[in-house]
């Protein structure tokens, strides 16, 4: 198949391009390099089935493809809040352009949605039928509400135009190729620990997240795209149901590095969700998927990646 991956030079996108090429597909990687890097895909450039396009999905594009993974959108709060209006445009105009393309060429399209559609959840763990608790006017809204409208558009293009859509609600994913200045907690803590700096804990560190290693996530996304299950045209949670407090995450990183990490407590950002854990019953049932990589193992691989990049020296 010929497969378009928008945001393909980013963290998740570059792993996805790699895996799709391994499976023998032709891959068009589209990116505007806002948070992605050519470096993430340079090793794929010599593959004749790989094509790299600099393009912004807020602008229409004409391509002939069989499948589209729409991943283009900055995922880290510091990056999506840098230009919030652009974040809304990427989410809304971007998915309209991609759904229009899917409709025209009859491609199947998978939207990378997010656990942020549940906001600061009042139901725990979160299953797909929970409608969420999102602030529509806060600093995170450009991302959260943008992703919610994108889901609405996917569902409406499906109902109105029969576009074959898939929606993955991705819960915190981590692994090699996250940016060292990405601002997300796993990369922040690892980079700080390698530099022997204090780990910046926002709030008291009792808030929880469930961290899914990249290889598990890629497997889930590919299964979701390719399943023929009947009730698949609605959102599916993809994430690791093991839940940790942010303090526990810091301790785990210290344990792997074999040293006592020091913590520095900073104010909690506004609207920061207090707890998050996916209910993955639906993914298990429809995709026969569940994550295999435990946090300690995934963290070890991610630490090795950052250590190889010589993060400690580049203070
Ligand atoms: P990332 O920031 O590494 O990748 C996003 C990519 O999209 C980057 O390469 C960026 O340059 C590109 N991009 C941004 N705006 C664009 C635009 N207008 N046109 C073209 N390209 C554009 O983030 P990621 O972690 O790889 O996330 C990928 C997708 O998964 C995002 O849609 C994100 O919202 C979603 N997601 C990620 C997580 C996570 O934990 N990583 C969680 C939930 C959802
Ligand atoms: N966080 C933290 N220190 C950091 C970065 C993040 O304590 O240096 C916290 C953040 O406040 C949140 C959690 O870690 O409660 C996860 O943050 P991240 O930005 O990785 O993801 P999200 O909030 O989008 O789930």
């Amino acid at each position: 198949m010929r497969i378009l991956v928008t945001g393909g030079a980013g963290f998740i996108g570059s792993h996805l391009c790699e895996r799709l090429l391994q499976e023998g597909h032709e891959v068009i990687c589209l990116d505007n390099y806002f948070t992605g890097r050519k470096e993430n895909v340079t090793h794929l450039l010599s593959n004749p089935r790989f094509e790299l396009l600099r393009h912004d999905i807020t602008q229409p594009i004409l391509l002939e493809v069989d499948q589209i993974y729409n991943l283009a959108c900055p995922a880290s709060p510091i990056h999506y809040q840098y230009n919030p209006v652009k974040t809304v445009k990427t989410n809304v105009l971007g998915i309209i352009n991609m759904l229009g393309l899917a409709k025209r060429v009859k491609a199947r399209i998978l939207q990378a949605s997010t656990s942020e559609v549940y906001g600061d959840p009042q139901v725990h763990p979160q299953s797909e039928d929970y409608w969420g608790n999102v602030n529509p006017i806060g600093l995170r809204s450009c991302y959260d509400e943008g992703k919610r409208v994108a889901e609405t558009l996917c569902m409406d293009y499906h109902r109105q135009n029969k576009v074959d859509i898939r929606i993955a609600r991705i819960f915190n994913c981590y692994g090699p190729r996250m940016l060292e200045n990405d601002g997300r907690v796993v990369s922040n803590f690892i980079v700080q620990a390698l530099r022997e700096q204090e780990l910046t804990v926002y709030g008291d560190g009792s808030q929880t997240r469930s961290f899914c290693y990249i290889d598990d996530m890629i497997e889930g996304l590919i299964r979701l795209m390719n399943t023929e299950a009947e009730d698949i045209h609605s959102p599916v949670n993809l994430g690791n149901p093991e839940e940790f407090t942010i303090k526990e995450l810091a301790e785990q990183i210290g344990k792997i590095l074999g040293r006592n990490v020091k913590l520095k407590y900073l104010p909690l950002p506004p609207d920061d969700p207090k707890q998050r854990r996916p209910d993955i019953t639906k993914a298990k049932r429809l995709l026969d998927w569940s994550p295999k990589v435990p946090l300690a193992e995934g963290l070890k691989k991610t630490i090795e990646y950052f250590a190889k990049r010589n993060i400690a020296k580049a203070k």
Side-chain angles (χ1 to χ4, degrees):
M1 278 187 284
R2 185 180 298 153
I3 304 179
L4 171 65
V5 180
T6 77
F11 160 51
I12 300 181
S14 61
H15 287 275
L16 183 60
C17 289
E18 202 172 270
R19 171 78 188 270
L20 294 172
L21 286 170
Q22 276 164 15
E23 292 187 355
H25 300 292
E26 276 180 47
V27 174
I28 302 176
C29 167
L30 179 159
D31 210 292
N32 72 348
Y33 303 120
F34 175 45
T35 50
R37 313 174 270 197
K38 254 194 197 161
E39 193 191 325
N40 285 342
V41 290
T42 359
H43 62 296
L44 306 177
L45 287 172
S46 58
N47 189 322
R49 286 182 282 106
F50 183 73
E51 198 176 333
L52 185 57
L53 287 182
R54 179 189 286 266
H55 181 78
D56 193 305
I57 57 158
T58 58
Q59 304 298 323
I61 188 164
L62 294 176
L63 295 166
E64 304 299 322
V65 291
D66 304 299
Q67 291 188 338
I68 304 167
Y69 287 87
N70 186 42
L71 270 59
C73 179
S76 154
I78 51 168
H79 291 124
Y80 70 64
Q81 288 167 10
Y82 171 75
N83 185 344
V85 173
K86 175 71 195 224
T87 300
V88 175
K89 285 184 184 170
T90 294
N91 276 314
V92 180
L93 298 177
I95 189 68
I96 289 176
N97 287 328
M98 290 306 123
L99 285 163
L101 172 64
K103 180 180 152 192
R104 187 176 64 81
V105 301
K106 296 196 170 42
R108 183 177 285 179
I109 178 166
L110 182 149
Q111 164 66 358
S113 190
T114 169
S115 53
E116 296 281 341
V117 299
Y118 301 119
D120 191 0
Q122 287 165 333
V123 167
H124 196 69
Q126 294 78 53
S127 62
E128 292 85 351
D129 52 10
Y130 175 51
W131 290 357
N133 175 37
V134 175
N135 176 358
I137 54 167
L139 296 177
R140 293 175 88 103
S141 313
C142 58
Y143 184 77
D144 301 6
E145 297 288 18
K147 289 281 186 184
R148 285 169 68 97
V149 176
E151 286 197 3
T152 309
L153 284 159
C154 289
M155 295 306 294
D156 283 336
Y157 267 78
H158 174 62
R159 285 185 287 246
Q160 198 176 327
N161 302 108
K162 307 272 176 293
V163 174
D164 189 359
I165 59 111
R166 309 290 152 108
I167 301 172
R169 288 189 178 152
I170 301 174
F171 284 64
N172 299 65
C173 175
Y174 71 99
R177 301 204 193 119
M178 292 181 92
L179 288 174
E180 65 189 80
N181 64 351
D182 183 78
R184 279 178 282 187
V185 68
V186 174
S187 44
N188 269 11
F189 280 5
I190 291 178
V191 169
Q192 289 160 348
L194 288 173
R195 289 180 180 161
E196 297 181 30
Q197 294 168 342
E198 294 171 320
L199 273 51
T200 53
V201 174
Y202 302 161
D204 63 4
S206 66
Q207 70 271 38
T208 68
R209 292 294 186 272
S210 305
F211 300 100
C212 185
Y213 188 63
I214 183 69
D215 293 358
D216 285 328
M217 184 56 64
I218 297 298
E219 181 64 34
L221 290 170
I222 289 179
R223 284 191 192 204
L224 176 56
M225 176 65 111
N226 292 295
T227 180
E228 301 295 339
E230 249 178 46
D231 46 346
I232 201 65
H233 297 112
S234 60
V236 178
N237 286 342
L238 292 180
N240 191 322
E242 282 186 19
E243 183 181 0
F244 297 88
T245 66
I246 295 305
K247 253 178 105 168
E248 284 167 345
L249 175 72
E251 283 156 12
Q252 283 248 17
I253 291 171
K255 212 160 123 193
I256 296 167
L257 287 172
R259 67 172 95 107
N260 244 340
V261 289
K262 288 211 180 80
L263 308 183
K264 175 160 121 190
Y265 290 91
L266 296 174
L268 192 67
D271 298 331
D272 197 280
K274 279 178 265 324
Q275 52 179 7
R276 184 184 288 156
R277 171 156 60 99
D279 177 335
I280 59 164
T281 312
K282 191 171 174 183
K284 278 186 183 159
R285 179 170 59 83
L286 294 179
L287 315 177
D288 189 24
W289 175 87
S290 57
K292 304 274 179 287
V293 183
L295 184 65
E297 191 184 323
L299 284 178
K300 204 164 156 261
K301 291 184 181 172
T302 313
I303 289 171
E304 278 164 14
Y305 165 80
F306 279 111
K308 249 197 238 147
R309 289 181 64 88
N310 240 345
I311 285 304
K313 284 198 186 120
K315 280 187 203 183

